[in-house]
Amino acid sequence: MIKVFHCGHDSHHKKPCDILHPTGLNNYLFLLVKQHAWVYIDGQKHPVQPNSILLFPPNIPIHYGCDAAGYNDDWIHFDLFDDDRMLLDSFSFPYCDILHPRDFHRLSDYAKMISDEFHLDGLYREDIIDRLMHIFLYALDDELKKTAECSAVPSAIQKYHREFAQIRTQIYNAPSADWSVNRLADTLCLSCSHFQHLYKRFFGCSCQHDIILARIALAKFYLATTNMGICQLSLFCGYETDLHFMRQFKRYTGVTPSEYRMQTRSSDIQP
């Protein structure tokens, strides 16, 4: 189990701060730094850029701060029990080091959920926090690995990843919407060609191709799980005509919608 002893989200310091724990703490500390700051590592002062994370283990001196007003961070004091100690070790997060996750804001969102739950008096409060902390650790490992994979990608491109990921989620959540690449590009103040280039770089296919894949995936689900008619389904998935739907479905799956429904239904009744 992972137990949180204290935490906070989006904490602000109105004045410059200098925080020193000379003998460390008796628990672990995650810092999610959102403003320019500094930290001492092995006796040397190092700058910390916004959107960085630091993990301090118990009983290690901690010294960090900010020379300007407005220092801002999320922080989680926690400890681990039973098998979760081995879980943390398995991730191999470097202690007392400056970590740069690709999508810092994703992790800050989880920190907010942990903080919100911590300050509630819910019946399952500790169990919910334990599970959120597990999610946070897995997400941190995921983001650090993505950072390593994308180290060759220019930072000018990486900064758009979160916005593009949100757009892709919206597309898959509502494939039938009247999606326009031009309008999507406008939301990020990008030219259509630049938007398309970045989308393909992030996800390996064009935005228009992804919209089609999202609609086909939606159609597959309803063909396999409902008796919705082909004409009704084509409108439900965002197609103007059932003919267009059937042609595109066969092009991407190799079978017609009716054939796909028969295949999935027959596989469900196999002994």
Side-chain angles (χ1 to χ4, degrees), residues 211-229:
I211 293 169
I212 295 171
L213 293 180
R215 289 177 175 174
I216 296 297
L218 182 67
K220 284 182 175 180
F221 175 78
Y222 281 93
L223 285 168
T225 59
T226 75
N227 292 320
M228 191 182 299

Side-chain angles (χ1 to χ4, degrees), residues 159-183:
K159 69 178 183 179
Y160 287 110
H161 182 270
R162 182 174 177 81
E163 288 84 356
F164 273 81
Q166 290 173 341
I167 286 173
R168 191 171 194 244
T169 297
Q170 292 169 8
I171 290 171
Y172 274 83
N173 281 341
S176 61
D178 183 20
W179 296 107
S180 162
V181 175
N182 285 330
R183 287 200 299 270

Side-chain angles (χ1 to χ4, degrees), residues 30-45:
F30 266 122
L31 285 180
L32 286 74
V33 180
K34 301 179 178 181
Q35 297 293 337
H36 290 281
W38 48 260
V39 63
Y40 276 89
I41 301 174
D42 296 330
Q44 299 292 320
K45 188 176 183 180

